Amino acid sequence: MSNWVRAHTNIALIKYWGKENETLIIPKNNSLSLTLDAFYTDTKVTFDKHLTKDELILDGKEQDDSALSKVQRVLEEVRKMADLHLYARVESINHVPTAAGLASSASGLAALAGAASHAAGLDLSDKDLSKLARIGSGSASRSIFGGFAEWVKGHDHDSSYAVPVDDAQWDIGMLFIIVNDAVKEVSSRDGMKRTVETSPFYDGWLKSLDTDLKEIKIAISERDVEKVGRIAERNALKMHATTLGADPPFTYWTAESMTAMNAVRELRKQGYTAYFTMDAGPNVKIICRQSQLSDIKNKLSSMFKEGQLIEAKPGPGLHLID
Ligand code: ADP
Ligand code: DP6
């Protein structure tokens, strides 16, 4: 039994940045995200007795061992749960640039968790799917759910998973400014590890999180886009500040990211609800009202090319496709 499974990317408004346990991927802090309709991954898994090893074919190309190793963490767990002793062929198509700070690991590993468990004949709960996706990539735990989801950090494999917070069926959206979709130099995995181990700013980041998380949950319950954006922007800036204190220091920002951030500040001066967030890459995402997405896109069209600006609305959770 093997089917294509689709998972959408999610963008964190309260970032996950640092692991308590690197093997199990238990985070240092809770994080909260919005799943989006514009970017997603489709994956199919086939367990096959003729295979002599696991295979990962991403966008038609066989992948090297480093990409395969994340995937194998999930496959191993599925084989254990289903008492299955067969290798797997994983075919995946990213409708999102890979490794560019646009959360391909979130949609990719969440789709894999769904497809592998389905192919093995397991009928997992959302909670168990979230745990399974998490051991492939932390942020993937949140892509099991549509709308807003919170990854509760927990303390071991059984207690660390995401939960749905709100379906986001209200006037919130995100405009992506793609300044560069090339593969980044420092992966999120390496970047957060270096920051935890060496940045003196890391403790300050951790201390500030309870307030951000508490306030954003209130803002979401009040459907207050302005407040959600304000908290998300300050949270992202704090996360990126930690990387400057790392040894060796690094940043995901480029000159184009700064230009995009300034454009968002300018939009605010003009009265738009517009706040930015950024992940482990140079691209900038604007949190705004869904009803103002095309207006804001038009405003930015003199600075960025048509293909650089992508409108996104809240997206669905993991699901099977034909
Ligand atoms: P991103 O910002 O795109 O999430 P990361 O560096 O965090 O960047 O993760 C990118 C990595 O995630 C890839 O190098 C690959 O190992 C894995 N990945 C991305 N998409 C898929 C997919 N569809 N299936 C399996 N693994 C994937
Ligand atoms: C900046 O989930 O890609 O996007 O768990 O090591 O696979 P691993 O990392 P990953 O990190 C995402 C970091 C982030 C913030 C976030 O999505 O919360």
Side-chain angles (χ1 to χ4, degrees), residues 12 15-16 19 25 105 137-139 142 188-189 192 279-280:
K15 306 293 183 192
Y16 146 53
K19 296 180 180 66
I25 312 200
S105 57
S137 181
S139 53
R142 301 181 307 238
S188 2
R189 190 158 293 190
M192 68 175 82
D279 293 283

Side-chain angles (χ1 to χ4, degrees), residues 41 58 67 70-71 92 94 99-105 108-109 184 187-188:
T41 298
L58 177 56
K70 280 184 199 175
V71 164
S92 189
N94 273 348
L102 293 164
S104 72
S105 57
L109 277 298
K184 56 199 165 199
S187 70
S188 2

